[in-house]
């Protein structure tokens, strides 16, 4: 029924539950309809990475990673075993571009 514009840096992560997108942002939750695949295509390359089928993480806001979780602004999100390697490579690539 309305429209919201979000700056990329204001998004912590995006969650999907039955085609309902939930944007976790600095302003709170913003809901929309769609898929993570479609949303991912609209975002800048190498700024976001999927840690599992439910979450698309803004790498800028990653605080820590341990064996099975990534902490994003105080929230612990599960990292799927099948996505861990790619997620860690994306994070390393992102961190490398931020240093240079």
């Amino acid at each position: 029924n309305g429209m919201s514009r979000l700056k990329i840096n204001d998004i912590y992560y995006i969650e999907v539950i039955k085609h309902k997108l939930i944007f976790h942002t600095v302003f709170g939750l913003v809901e929309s309809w769609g898929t993570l695949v479609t949303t991912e295509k609209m975002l800048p390359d190498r700024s976001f990475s999927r840690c599992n089928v439910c979450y698309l993480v803004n790498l800028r806001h990653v605080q820590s990673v341990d064996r099975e979780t990534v902490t994003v602004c105080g929230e612990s999100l599960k990292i799927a075993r099948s996505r861990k390697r790619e997620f860690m490579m994306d994070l390393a690539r992102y961190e490398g571009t931020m240093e240079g």
Side-chain angles (χ1 to χ4, degrees), residues 52-65:
N52 68 38
V53 295
C54 301
Y55 300 116
L56 182 59
V57 174
N58 186 339
L59 298 172
R60 175 187 187 97
H61 295 290
V62 170
Q63 294 172 304
S64 65
V65 176

Side-chain angles (χ1 to χ4, degrees), residues 8-83:
I8 298 297
N9 291 340
D10 292 340
I11 300 169
Y12 297 138
Y13 64 95
I14 305 164
E15 178 179 14
V16 66
I17 301 172
K18 295 183 180 179
H19 295 289
K20 182 185 206 179
L21 296 170
I22 303 167
F23 292 78
H24 295 256
T25 75
V26 297
F27 306 108
L29 302 179
V30 176
E31 296 181 359
S32 181
W33 293 98
T35 67
L36 281 184
V37 172
T38 303
T39 303
E40 197 170 12
K41 290 177 184 175
M42 293 188 292
L43 296 169
D45 285 344
R46 300 186 177 174
S47 296
F48 286 76
S49 183
R50 303 265 298 261
C51 64
N52 68 38
V53 295
C54 301
Y55 300 116
L56 182 59
V57 174
N58 186 339
L59 298 172
R60 175 187 187 97
H61 295 290
V62 170
Q63 294 172 304
S64 65
V65 176
D66 79 26
R67 292 174 147 189
E68 299 175 356
T69 62
V70 56
T71 303
V72 181
C73 293
E75 295 286 328
S76 292
L77 309 176
K78 179 93 167 122
I79 301 173
R81 199 173 315 171
S82 62
R83 294 193 184 259

